[in-house]
Amino acid sequence: MDLPRRYPYMPHWPTIATMLAGGAVLLALGTGCIMLPTRSGTRELGGILFGGFFILFGAAVIVLGALSAIRRLFIGRTLELGEDALLLPTGFLQLRTRRVAYADIEGTWEMTRQKVYTFQLVTKGRTHGISSVFLDRQSYTAVKDFLT
């Protein structure tokens, strides 16, 4: 493999659309819980609190989806396999870059949670994750194969 090699590291559009649609559904459920009266024609405190939770959680999911869309459109990030180190975007919205030297990697493994694969790199006292949510399938496999 020719080095350095760069791979786009950003959320996929279907993931962003799922967050936005899921948040909209939660908002609709919350609004329905608040607006629907009970048999006596009054609204109960439990329904209002339950609906408020759905509205709050739905709004948070929509904000996260919107931030992911803005990040994908305006802040292009890449994962770079260099000659002697890996440059990995980290932090909130992957706005920072961490340099992980190949010599410092002590172990690797792959985790799966609900069809999301994460390749873990263990260095001296730290664990770094490379998520399949941010890479296409071919890039994820190429990075994983290179690092193992």
Side-chain angles (χ1 to χ4, degrees):
M1 177 184 288
D2 297 329
L3 296 176
R5 183 87 190 229
R6 291 180 174 218
Y7 298 98
Y9 198 72
M10 56 188 71
H12 302 291
W13 285 116
T15 305
I16 294 169
T18 302
M19 284 192 283
L20 294 173
V25 167
L26 289 172
L27 281 175
L29 284 173
T31 305
C33 286
I34 290 175
M35 298 306 290
L36 290 177
T38 60
R39 287 185 184 168
S40 64
T42 62
R43 294 185 180 94
E44 294 181 359
L45 181 61
I48 293 171
L49 292 177
F50 193 66
F53 171 75
F54 273 111
I55 289 174
L56 218 63
F57 192 64
V61 171
I62 286 175
V63 167
L64 187 60
L67 285 174
S68 297
I70 290 168
R71 181 204 177 280
R72 180 168 174 91
L73 289 171
F74 300 113
I75 308 170
R77 304 295 293 161
T78 59
L79 182 146
E80 182 177 338
L81 298 175
E83 293 289 336
D84 59 345
L86 164 75
L87 296 177
L88 179 66
T90 60
F92 180 67
L93 298 177
Q94 283 75 40
L95 296 177
R96 291 178 287 151
T97 302
R98 183 170 305 276
R99 184 180 184 277
V100 180
Y102 298 134
D104 292 343
I105 297 174
E106 297 172 349
T108 61
W109 76 87
E110 185 176 42
M111 294 183 356
T112 305
R113 270 191 227 147
Q114 299 176 353
K115 298 182 183 179
V116 175
Y117 297 96
T118 304
F119 187 66
Q120 301 287 329
L121 304 170
V122 179
T123 59
K124 297 176 177 116
R126 296 209 60 154
T127 302
H128 308 278
I130 300 172
S131 177
S132 65
V133 171
F134 298 109
L135 292 169
D136 61 33
R137 193 170 293 178
Q138 294 84 9
S139 299
Y140 178 79
T141 304
V143 169
K144 184 178 79 167
D145 291 344
F146 179 79
L147 293 173
T148 53

